């Protein structure tokens, strides 16, 4: 079958799968977060940790829960790595050095999963399972909780209560992430993904030499790595490794897993606010951005410059031949659009155009369709800014879903939006100014700069994918990228919760003919335009010196 | 699309000193405001506006740089950056200047008045205190704001309202309030002073139009935050660009970085924002409405529900004859002739409407014949409560039922008309009752279309009337209001406003009586009539000097126009940036990466001419948009979707395209400068 046709059929199948899940799964998630009843296992948990599940929290309390939980998580993951020699199933792998351990702890707790280590050489099974896999589940649940809190802020009227963080966290884990990740893991095993507690298998290769093939509990981590838009591979090669992602079918299933929660959350949103078209509009914005980036990347990768690539009929460097260009690009666009950061091909080897758009995909602010929870609250904040920018043009104080956007709301929204560009620009600017950076780069010129820019875009957006080509194990990069992940995650979360708190206090006004309709295609155009314009205006100069200079060359 | 049918009160001078030229914008105003604009170059003045402060700092940097290493390019950029700052000051100065002119005219009306206290002492008006009682006779100026506590007088209020017809002010009731600076024409009144000198109505007016007490409104603050945020992000983008550019092999000169920064930050809206706010207040003043605060003007744009008094707003202020009902054996023609005769000399609107009806329906002549003109007119008095004509021995009268003869059938008709909300006038020839004229409310033509327009804008209209429910329902249906309150008491109004507000809706209303005061204070926009009591004026957040209740509709439109202008210019400003990138980035980087020369889609002459052209465009666009900021963008009442689509197209898409054309054209000229 023709490569392009195969690719298009994959896209079609993916869309059919997502469409089939959209309503039932989206509504299921809405029920999870609105239901009054606790599951028995949840009640037992609440009793155990002494949480009053019925009490609502004000936004500072909710935020304190998020921060406290995440801080404790970072400490635990850090300690697990540092104490690795004492842990079972560590296969004699030593303690992880402090800088890497801290970077990794931050990385997994912030749902970034940036990896500045080689997993199969550095980490044993206990750290992988008790540390990283656990964080893959709970960090995604934190994102879900924050998104739900913001939606409640929009829905509720005249209250200062946003719900209970511990309840939202528990329900996200118990009712959404764990059960679906479990099913996904079984399916992955069926598709050929390995699942083993052994450190590796010794074998003699065809060349007669002895080899050790490392093994790991792959499927369980792989499932939640994709479903929770985490992206941290259990092998260094990530989803390009045949044990993580053996063939085209598993590849498509993994793409589906990345997209399913962020996509269906727009339905959850629509259902919770009582107008499903509100969710559909946001989904169509996400979809159009995703499709546009996919189209450009696909075109760029199949129309490369350079004699080698031309001879191969496409930019195949850095791509698995078992996937080919369409499946690699589809994966690459989905992983950068969802803040997953798993990779099945080397983004560093993409053409200027292809690499540029997957970078841009992150710089949109991870909203196409974004990470678990983070995508929804991200696009809601952008929608609020869009309403404020253009909403004045209908002659009323801007309002979104019946809530007026005044000083407090705008302040919170701009803080949430400005954090990422600030971190990327300051980080990349600082890094490129340092003489040491030039030594850390594999490439010079525009491509070298793209590598630095990509690293900070990935960290600040909690994506975690690497352009590679940049040695990031030095103290400067470990520290600054760690800070970028930390601030990139929690500053927007704080701003979003403050926004939710201030929205919840307002009385909800019903919409009339004089209010800006936010459930119509025109509003979608407005939100999409705002996302593209904000990203373009902020990053145009930086992109011009990196991927754009390459692409136009 | 229907155009508003209600007549608009033409802009009138607020003082007899001659009309203040505030309507149109002329280039001469720019020159006149130049000194004020220059004064605004002081850093302290610039600190109030974060966007323009950044431009100011940039201008200083570039000037220092130009002094250090003088180049033609450096100096030209420096000059145009200073122009940018100056133009922003100019926009504000022009807007303020219009207010100042009005304030000066007002001030001229404030004469040095003396006050005669009731105990005979004569003091200067400035020495009065609250509670003092002063006597004001014919020809004297009322020394301060107060209430009439004794007597009745006609007062010339043209100093405040511009209306030359005198008004009656009397002790007690809703017409007791007088304003300092107005003149008593006849009789003598005793006024109890209610405000301190310096806080009087005229003083407040002066402060308002001068913008002395101007504070940023909530929406303006929110927008300022957004603009500051955009400025910060562009500052970061430009600062971070330097190391990136250095890595690429060519650090940029300071002047180029500053030029890029100034072009990117939202200078257009930053420069015009305060002018838009001042001009919004100014447009109200031109329509003889004084708003206590900009907040009220902004709230007017958000109004969801309008509480409109039936009389004067929805129906004509006076009832009109609509039907003739003969009694006994009198024929309709006979009644019509008598009714006409009784009203021929009656110049009240009711009287004229009777003649009109007789002419229209019964073909009787509208003008008095020679004989009729010589007949003796009996005018209406409060004692007799009837009027008419003595002609050829006949005594034709019309009047209120209670003061006219008639019983039985007449009573029934009179009661029925009253029940239906009309006013019955009994017509008699001598002692013989001929019939009854029905006067009823006539809904203003076009008002239903206007309400439909408001509905399309998402605004509910509620008619408030003292009529009984049956009449109210009939008029409400005819006028096409969304709801009505019949037999309304001030408490009913208050309760209605509360209910609306609990549902999150904003309410506007007009009122004049003291018992309206609580509701005026509760409403989000409360427009007090200038003829109303001091309590009403104090409670409302706007005062309509014309005392025209239909003004509420215009106030809402002005509020909306203010917000739309702000949004449109913000969108335009941000959309402009795209073209500026395409002008400046290739100029900066084409030497480093020749491939980036492809971004020079406008085919600009040289890197220097490209950057200079972008900076010039950025400065000139402020001047070009000053008239728009002062006038407000064109507003037609329509639904939010229509407005958004239209404005997005003009200011969003237009904002993207315009600078491409503008910069290209400017570059055609700039390239002629030697060395560019």
């Amino acid at each position: 079958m023709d490569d392009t046709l195969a690719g298009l059929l994959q896209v079609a199948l993916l869309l059919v799968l997502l469409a089939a899940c959209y309503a039932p799964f989206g509504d299921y998630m809405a029920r999870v977060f609105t239901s009054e009843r606790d599951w028995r296992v949840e009640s037992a948990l609440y009793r155990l940790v002494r949480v009053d599940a019925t009490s609502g929290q004000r936004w500072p309390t909710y935020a304190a829960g998020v921060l406290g939980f995440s801080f404790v998580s970072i400490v635990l993951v850090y300690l697990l790595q540092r104490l690795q020699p004492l842990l079972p199933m560590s296969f004699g792998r030593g303690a992880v050095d402090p800088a890497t351990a801290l970077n990794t702890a931050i990385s997994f707790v912030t749902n970034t999963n940036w990896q500045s280590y080689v997993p199969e050489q550095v980490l044993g099974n206990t750290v992988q399972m008790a540390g990283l896999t656990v964080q893959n589940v709970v960090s995604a649940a934190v994102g879900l909780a924050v998104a739900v809190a913001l939606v409640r802020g929009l829905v509720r009227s005249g209250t200062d209560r946003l719900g209970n963080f511990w309840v939202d966290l528990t329900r996200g884990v118990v009712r959404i992430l764990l059960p679906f990740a479990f099913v996904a893991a079984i399916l992955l095993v069926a598709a050929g993904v390995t699942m083993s507690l052994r450190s590796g298998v010794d074998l003699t290769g065809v060349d007669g030499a002895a080899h050790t093939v490392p093994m790991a509990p792959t499927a369980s981590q792989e499932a939640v790595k994709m479903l929770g838009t985490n992206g941290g591979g259990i092998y260094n090669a990530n989803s390009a490794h045949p044990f993580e992602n053996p063939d085209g079918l598993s590849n498509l299933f993994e793409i589906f897993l990345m997209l399913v929660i962020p996509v269906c959350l727009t339905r959850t949103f629509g259902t919770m606010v009582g107008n499903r078209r509100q969710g559909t509009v946001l989904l169509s914005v996400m979809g159009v951005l995703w499709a546009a980036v996919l189209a450009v990347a696909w075109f760029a990768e199949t129309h490369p410059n350079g004699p080698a690539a031309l001879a191969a009929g496409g930019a195949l460097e850095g791509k698995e031949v078992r996937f080919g260009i369409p499946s690699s690009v589809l994966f690459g666009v989905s992983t950068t659009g969802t803040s997953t950061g798993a990779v099945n091909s080397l983004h560093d080897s993409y053409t200027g155009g292809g690499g540029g758009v997957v970078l841009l995909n992150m710089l949109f602010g991870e909203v196409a369709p974004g990470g678990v929870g983070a995508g929804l609250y991200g696009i809601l904040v952008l929608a609020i800014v869009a309403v404020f920018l253009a909403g004045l043009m209908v002659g009323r104080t801007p309002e979104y879903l019946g809530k007026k956007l005044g000083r407090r709301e705008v302040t919170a929204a701009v803080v949430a939006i400005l954090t990422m560009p600030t971190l990327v620009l300051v980080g990349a600017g600082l890094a490129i100014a340092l003489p040491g950076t030039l030594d850390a780069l594999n490439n010079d010129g525009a491509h070298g700069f793209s590598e630095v820019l990509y690293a900070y875009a990935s960290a600040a957006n909690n994506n975690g994918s690497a352009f590679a080509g940049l040695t990031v194990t030095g103290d400067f990069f470990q520290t600054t990228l760690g800070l970028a992940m930390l601030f990139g995650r929690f500053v927007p979360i704080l701003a979003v919760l403050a926004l939710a708190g201030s929205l919840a206090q307002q009385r909800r006004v019903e919409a009339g003919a004089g209010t800006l309709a936010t459930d119509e295609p025109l509003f979608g155009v407005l939100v999409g335009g705002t996302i593209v314009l904000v990203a373009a205006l902020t990053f145009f100069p930086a992109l011009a010196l990196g991927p754009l200079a390459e692409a136009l060359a | 699309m229907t155009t508003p049918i209600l007549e608009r009160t033409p802009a009138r001078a607020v003082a007899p000193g001659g009309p203040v030229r505030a309507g149109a914008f002329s280039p001469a105003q720019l020159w006149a405001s130049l000194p004020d604009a220059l004064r605004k170059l002081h850093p302290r003045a610039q600190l109030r506006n974060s966007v323009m402060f950044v431009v100011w700092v940039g201008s200083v940097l570039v000037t220092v740089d130009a002094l250090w290493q003088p180049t033609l390019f450096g100096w030209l950029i420096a000059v145009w950056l200073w122009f940018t700052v100056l133009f922003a000051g100019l926009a504000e100065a022009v807007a303020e200047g219009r207010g100042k002119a009005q304030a000066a005219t007002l001030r001229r009306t404030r004469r040095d008045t003396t006050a005669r206290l009731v105990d005979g002492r004569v003091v200067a008006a400035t020495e009065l205190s609250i509670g003092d009682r002063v006597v004001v006779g014919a020809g004297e100026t009322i020394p301060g704001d107060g209430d009439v506590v004794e007597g009745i007088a006609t007062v010339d209020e043209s100093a405040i309202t511009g209306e030359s017809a005198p008004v009656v002010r009397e002790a007690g009731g809703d017409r007791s309030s007088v304003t300092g600076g107005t003149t008593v024409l006849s009789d003598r009144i005793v006024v109890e002073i209610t405000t301190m000198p310096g806080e009087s109505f005229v003083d407040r007016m002066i402060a308002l139009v001068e913008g002395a007490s101007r504070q940023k409104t909530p929406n303006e603050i929110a927008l300022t935050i957004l603009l500051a945020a955009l400025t910060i992000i562009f500052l970061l983008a430009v600062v971070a660009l330097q190391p990136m550019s250095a890595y690429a092999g060519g650090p940029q000169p300071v002047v180029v970085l500053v030029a890029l920064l100034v072009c990117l930050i939202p200078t257009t809206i930053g420069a015009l924002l305060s002018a838009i706010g001042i001009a919004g207040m100014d447009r109200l003043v031109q329509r003889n409405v004084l708003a206590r605060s900009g907040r009220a003007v902004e709230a007017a744009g958000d109004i969801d529900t309008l509480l409109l008094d039936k009389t004067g707003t929805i129906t004509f202020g006076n009832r009109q004859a609509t039907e003739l009902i003969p009694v006994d054996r009198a024929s309709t023609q006979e009644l019509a002739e008598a009714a006409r005769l009784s009203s021929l000399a009656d110049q009240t609107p009711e009287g004229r409407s009777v003649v009109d009806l007789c002419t229209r329906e019964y073909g009787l002549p509208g003008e008095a014949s020679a004989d009729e003109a010589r007949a003796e007119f009996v005018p209406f008095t409060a004692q007799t409560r009837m009027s008419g004509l003595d002609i050829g021995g006949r005594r034709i009268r019309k009047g209120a039922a209670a003061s006219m003869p008639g019983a039985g059938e007449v009573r029934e008709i009179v009661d029925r008309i009253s029940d239906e909300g009309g006013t019955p006038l009994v017509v008699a020839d001598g002692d013989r009752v001929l019939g009854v004229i029905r006067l009823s409310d006539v809904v203003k033509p076009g008002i239903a279309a206007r309400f439909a327009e408001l509905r399309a804008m998402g605004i509910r209209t509620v008619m408030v009337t003292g009529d009984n429910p049956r009449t109210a329902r009939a008029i409400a249906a005819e006028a096409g209001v969304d709801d009505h309150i019949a037999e309304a008491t001030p408490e009913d109004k208050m309760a209605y406003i509360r209910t609306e507000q609990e549902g999150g809706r904003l309410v506007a209303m007009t009122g004049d009586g003291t018992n309206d005061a609580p509701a005026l204070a509760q409403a989000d926009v409360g427009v007090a009539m200038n003829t109303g009591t001091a309590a009403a004026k104090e409670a409302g957040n706007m005062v309509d000097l014309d005392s025209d209740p239909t003004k509420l509709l215009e106030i809402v439109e002005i509020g909306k126009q203010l917000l739309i202008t702000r949004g449109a210019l913000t969108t335009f400003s941000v959309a402009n940036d795209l073209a500026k990138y395409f002008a400046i980035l290739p100029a900066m980087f084409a030497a480093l990466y020749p491939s980036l020369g492809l971004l020079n889609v406008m085919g600009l002459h040289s890197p220097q001419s490209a950057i200079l052209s972008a900076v010039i465009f950025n400065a000139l666009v402020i001047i070009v948009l000053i008239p728009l900021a002062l006038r407000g963008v064109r507003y037609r009442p329509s639904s939010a979707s229509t407005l958004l689509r239209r404005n997005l197209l003009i200011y969003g898409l237009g904002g993207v395209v315009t600078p491409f054309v503008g910069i290209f054209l400017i570059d055609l000229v700039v390239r002629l400068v030697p060395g560019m």
Side-chain angles (χ1 to χ4, degrees):
Chain A
M1 191 169 16
D2 175 56
D3 225 23
T4 312
L5 180 62
L8 288 175
L9 285 175
Q10 282 182 46
V11 174
L13 183 57
L14 179 66
L15 295 182
V16 167
L17 283 174
L18 289 171
C21 296
Y22 186 63
F25 190 44
D27 288 346
Y28 169 74
M29 288 194 285
R31 275 200 304 282
V32 167
F33 292 108
T34 48
S35 157
E36 298 286 324
R37 289 190 22 235
D38 295 323
W39 286 5
R40 210 166 298 155
V41 53
E42 292 168 351
S43 313
L45 263 172
Y46 301 146
R47 270 197 303 280
L48 193 69
V49 294
R50 303 199 176 169
V51 163
D52 176 8
T54 56
S55 76
Q57 295 172 325
R58 292 180 307 119
W59 84 261
T61 318
Y62 202 101
V66 172
L67 293 185
F69 179 76
S70 301
F71 176 74
V72 170
S73 297
I74 290 174
V75 172
L76 284 179
V77 177
Y78 177 79
L79 287 179
L80 278 174
Q81 295 173 82
R82 297 290 294 143
L83 301 176
Q84 177 158 262
L86 309 177
L87 302 173
M89 290 192 291
S90 295
F91 313 125
R93 291 163 193 168
V96 183
D97 75 85
T100 308
L102 184 60
N103 183 287
T104 305
I106 291 174
S107 169
F108 277 77
V109 171
T110 56
N111 199 254
T112 314
N113 307 49
W114 173 265
Q115 293 168 294
S116 58
Y117 59 92
V118 178
E120 57 266 47
Q121 293 167 11
V122 176
L123 299 182
N125 284 348
T126 308
V127 175
Q128 284 286 10
M129 293 192 296
L132 305 190
T133 306
V134 166
Q135 281 310 316
N136 279 351
V137 176
V138 293
S139 70
V142 168
L144 270 178
V146 173
V148 166
L150 178 58
V151 176
R152 288 201 191 109
L154 287 163
V155 174
R156 292 185 176 182
S157 185
T159 173
D160 56 358
R161 307 286 152 164
L162 291 179
N164 188 308
F165 169 67
W166 306 108
V167 172
D168 293 339
L169 178 73
T170 310
R171 287 189 179 179
V173 170
V174 172
R175 301 195 196 182
I176 297 172
L177 288 156
L178 274 185
F180 288 98
F182 183 81
V183 174
I186 303 284
L187 291 173
L188 283 172
V189 170
V193 173
T194 60
M195 185 73 194
S196 166
L197 291 177
R198 292 167 62 183
S199 69
V201 190
D202 295 325
L203 50 80
T204 310
V206 283
D207 54 355
H211 292 276
T212 302
V213 177
M215 298 292 286
T218 316
S220 60
Q221 181 159 341
E222 189 71 16
V224 74
K225 164 192 139 188
M226 306 312 277
L227 187 70
T229 62
N230 291 284
I234 207 158
Y235 295 101
N236 195 35
N238 210 307
S239 287
H241 196 292
F243 288 178
E244 284 201 22
N245 189 5
D247 57 16
L249 189 64
S250 67
N251 190 56
L252 190 65
F253 183 57
E254 290 187 5
I255 297 172
F256 165 79
L257 285 178
M258 288 194 260
L259 293 170
V260 67
I261 292 183
V263 163
C264 294
L265 269 179
T266 58
R267 168 76 174 198
T268 311
F269 164 69
T271 303
M272 283 179 77
V273 299
N275 177 358
R276 291 193 170 128
R277 292 202 311 181
Q278 299 280 4
T280 320
V281 167
L282 296 186
L283 176 66
S284 45
V285 175
M286 293 169 163
V288 167
L289 285 177
W290 178 82
V293 172
L294 178 65
V296 175
W298 195 333
F299 179 85
E301 294 313 295
T302 43
H303 297 78
N305 288 324
L310 284 175
L316 275 167
E317 181 198 311
K319 294 187 182 69
E320 286 288 313
V321 277
R322 70 180 190 278
F323 299 135
I325 288 175
S327 305
S328 300
V329 170
L330 187 59
F331 196 106
V333 170
S334 301
T335 195
T336 47
T338 52
S339 91
T340 304
V343 285
N344 76 348
S345 54
L346 202 57
H347 294 179
D348 194 23
S349 302
Y350 278 26
T351 59
V357 289
V358 295
L359 172 56
L360 183 64
N361 206 14
M362 294 191 287
L363 295 177
F364 283 149
E366 292 294 11
V367 289
V372 169
L376 180 62
Y377 67 69
I379 202 164
L380 282 174
V381 169
L382 280 159
I384 282 172
V385 169
V387 166
F388 190 82
L389 264 179
L392 277 174
M393 286 195 292
V394 306
R396 283 174 71 94
T397 305
E399 50 202 332
Y400 185 55
L401 296 172
K403 299 295 178 80
K404 288 210 184 302
L405 306 178
R407 185 176 55 82
R408 287 165 66 189
E409 290 77 19
V410 168
T411 310
V414 296
V415 167
I417 285 196
L418 289 191
T419 307
M420 184 274 287
T422 306
L423 293 170
V424 174
L425 290 170
V426 171
L430 209 57
I432 206 73
L434 291 178
T437 305
L438 298 182
D439 305 331
L441 283 172
N442 285 358
N443 298 278
D444 57 3
H447 195 75
F449 176 67
S450 297
E451 289 169 352
V452 174
L453 187 63
Y454 194 101
Y456 285 92
S458 175
N461 276 299
N462 301 126
N463 182 285
S465 67
F467 217 36
L470 175 67
T471 312
V472 290
T473 45
D475 283 347
F476 174 79
F477 283 110
Q478 293 282 35
T479 314
T480 54
L481 289 171
L483 288 176
M485 291 188 273
L486 207 54
F487 289 129
R489 175 76 166 177
F490 294 110
V491 174
I493 281 184
L494 279 180
V496 163
L497 290 175
L499 176 66
S502 126
L503 288 171
Q505 281 185 353
Q506 288 188 34
R507 293 197 175 280
R508 196 173 173 183
V509 193
E510 53 203 283
T515 37
L516 173 71
T518 53
D519 57 353
E520 286 179 0
L522 184 64
F523 182 68
V525 173
L526 199 62
V527 176
T530 306
I531 294 170
V532 173
L533 198 69
V534 167
L537 294 185
T538 318
F539 294 110
F540 201 151
L543 289 172
L545 288 176
L548 205 52
E550 273 184 85
L552 293 177
Chain B
M1 177 84 48
T2 50
T3 44
I5 289 168
L6 290 184
E7 63 229 289
R8 291 267 154 87
T9 322
R12 220 185 299 119
V14 289
V20 179
R21 298 281 308 150
F25 169 81
S26 70
Q29 280 175 297
L30 287 179
W31 283 117
S33 306
L34 199 59
D36 279 333
L38 284 169
R39 265 192 291 281
K40 286 178 193 288
L41 288 179
H42 195 282
R44 200 169 338 111
Q46 293 294 323
L47 266 174
R48 289 181 50 217
N49 183 335
S50 57
V51 180
M52 293 320 294
F53 182 69
V54 170
V55 182
W56 187 88
V57 172
S59 310
V60 172
L61 270 178
V62 171
T63 310
V64 172
D65 187 67
L67 285 169
W68 195 255
Q69 300 162 305
T71 61
L72 177 66
F73 174 68
W75 275 113
L76 283 173
I77 296 283
V79 166
W80 277 98
L81 289 183
W82 283 116
F83 273 149
T84 313
V85 186
L86 184 68
F87 291 167
L90 207 52
E92 204 179 83
V94 169
E96 286 172 351
R98 288 145 57 101
K100 279 196 184 119
Q102 285 164 334
T105 328
L106 269 177
R107 243 188 221 111
R108 250 179 278 144
T109 70
R110 260 199 329 189
R111 304 183 198 93
D112 296 325
T113 30
T114 52
R116 198 149 38 94
L117 294 172
V118 279
D119 57 16
R121 282 184 297 136
V122 174
V123 296
T126 49
E127 287 166 22
L128 288 171
S129 53
I130 294 174
D132 282 350
R133 291 189 171 202
V134 297
V135 182
V136 192
E140 290 180 332
T141 303
I142 296 170
D145 294 2
D147 283 321
V148 180
V149 288
E150 204 185 304
I152 175 167
T154 49
V155 179
D156 173 9
E157 294 197 334
S158 61
I160 307 296
T161 62
E163 181 67 60
S164 57
V167 292
V168 174
R169 292 285 177 250
E170 63 184 340
D174 285 349
R175 294 192 297 171
S176 64
S177 131
V178 288
T179 312
T182 56
T183 313
V184 173
L185 291 178
S186 70
D187 303 298
R188 169 187 173 277
I189 45 173
V190 175
V191 175
E192 183 172 305
I193 299 297
T194 53
T195 50
M196 294 294 284
E199 292 167 17
S200 75
F201 193 65
V202 173
D203 293 313
R204 282 212 306 262
M205 264 176 82
I206 292 174
L208 278 169
V209 295
E210 265 190 332
S213 54
R214 199 181 111 76
Q215 284 174 329
K216 281 189 175 160
T217 55
N219 174 260
E220 208 177 339
I221 292 172
L223 189 54
T224 309
I225 291 170
L226 186 74
L227 296 182
L230 283 172
T231 307
I232 292 171
I233 200 66
F234 285 129
L235 193 61
L236 277 173
V238 171
V239 169
L241 191 57
Q242 185 66 332
M244 298 174 188
S245 187
Y247 162 82
Q252 299 292 327
V254 173
V255 49
V256 171
L257 288 176
V258 171
L260 176 65
L261 176 62
V262 169
C263 285
L264 291 180
I265 61 176
T267 47
T268 315
I269 181 67
L272 296 172
L273 187 58
S274 64
I276 293 170
I278 298 170
M281 293 280 274
D282 192 54
R283 277 200 294 282
L284 274 181
V285 172
Q286 283 172 48
R287 285 172 177 78
N288 269 357
V289 176
L290 292 180
R292 288 274 162 95
S293 65
R295 186 186 283 256
V297 189
E298 228 173 67
D302 282 355
I303 291 301
D304 301 285
T305 310
L306 285 181
L307 253 52
L308 299 167
D309 278 325
K310 182 202 73 180
T311 311
T313 313
I314 295 171
T315 62
F316 286 106
N318 300 292
R319 297 185 160 197
Q320 299 187 355
T322 50
E323 193 186 0
L324 298 178
I325 308 159
V327 292
D328 291 339
R329 283 166 303 281
S331 71
T332 313
Q333 200 63 28
E334 201 179 350
L335 171 61
E337 276 165 15
R340 172 181 166 273
L341 281 175
S342 72
S343 307
L344 261 182
D346 182 357
Q347 286 307 313
T348 63
E350 287 88 353
R352 282 201 300 273
S353 78
V354 173
V355 178
D356 284 348
L357 181 72
C358 297
T359 312
R360 199 169 61 236
E361 305 268 324
Y362 304 100
L364 300 172
E367 298 297 318
S369 67
D371 280 351
E372 287 163 353
R374 273 194 300 276
E376 191 188 339
F377 175 56
V378 181
F380 179 89
T381 68
Q383 281 77 40
T384 60
R385 298 182 66 196
M386 61 171 80
S387 64
L389 205 66
D390 287 346
I391 182 168
R394 292 170 71 192
R395 291 171 53 244
I396 313 284
R397 294 287 183 276
K398 74 167 192 296
S403 53
M404 297 289 288
E409 194 189 353
V410 178
R411 287 282 154 233
E412 277 170 33
I413 296 172
V414 163
D415 289 346
R416 198 185 71 224
I417 294 177
S418 298
D419 280 353
E420 288 165 7
T423 307
L425 284 180
V426 176
V427 180
D429 183 350
D431 287 335
R432 180 177 168 229
V433 174
L434 297 174
V436 184
I437 306 172
R438 181 205 290 269
L439 295 180
S440 35
D441 280 315
V442 176
V443 172
K444 290 184 176 176
I447 197 90
R450 191 72 195 276
F451 289 156
E453 236 172 57
L454 286 171
R455 199 166 304 118
M457 286 157 66
I459 297 174
R460 286 178 74 242
T461 44
V462 180
M463 183 182 86
V464 181
T465 171
D467 291 341
N468 63 49
R470 215 169 110 198
T471 319
R473 206 175 309 121
I475 298 177
E478 195 185 340
V481 291
D482 297 297
D483 196 3
H484 65 273
I485 316 174
E487 286 171 356
T489 61
E491 292 74 35
D492 291 339
K493 270 196 198 182
M494 188 74 179
Y496 198 95
I497 294 175
R498 285 244 169 83
T499 321
E500 289 292 292
Q501 286 174 337
E502 267 157 30
R505 289 178 290 275
L506 267 63
V507 186
M509 67 168 283
T510 58
D512 52 6
T514 299
N515 51 17
D516 279 334
L520 279 172
Q522 178 74 28
D524 301 281
V525 173
V527 183
M529 300 292 102
N530 190 46
T531 50
T533 59
K537 284 198 258 184
E538 204 57 50
N541 44 19
M542 290 189 197
V543 177
D544 178 19
L545 299 175
D546 296 335
S547 306
D548 169 13
T550 52
K551 206 66 86 58
L552 201 48
L553 306 180
E554 283 179 63
I555 292 172
V556 168
E557 287 185 3
I558 290 174
K560 286 198 177 294
Q561 199 188 23
L562 171 74
L563 293 171
I564 293 176
T565 308
R566 244 181 232 157
L569 291 183
T570 307
T571 309
F572 186 83
S573 192
V574 174
N576 269 202
D577 281 0
L578 203 63
K580 293 171 189 166
Y581 267 138
F582 277 97
I584 299 182
L585 286 187
M588 289 171 87
F589 300 135
L592 304 175
Y593 297 113
S595 57
L596 289 178
L598 287 174
L599 293 179
N600 184 7
V601 290
M602 285 170 274
L604 302 179
H605 177 65
S606 69
Q608 295 190 328
S609 78
I611 294 169
L612 184 60
S613 301
V615 170
I616 293 178
F617 174 84
N618 195 52
L620 286 183
V621 78
I622 296 174
I623 287 285
V624 172
L625 289 175
I626 287 178
L628 184 69
L630 297 185
R631 199 179 57 229
V633 305
R634 205 162 64 95
Y635 174 70
R636 285 251 194 91
S638 42
S639 73
S641 307
T642 318
L643 279 172
L644 182 67
R645 202 170 297 121
R646 177 176 174 275
N647 290 326
L648 216 51
L649 206 64
I650 298 178
Y651 299 98
L653 203 59
V656 171
V657 176
T658 313
F660 278 104
V661 179
I663 293 173
F664 171 75
L665 292 177
I666 293 171
D667 183 71
L668 289 183
V669 179
V670 166
R671 68 175 63 175
L672 301 177
V673 177
M676 282 292 122

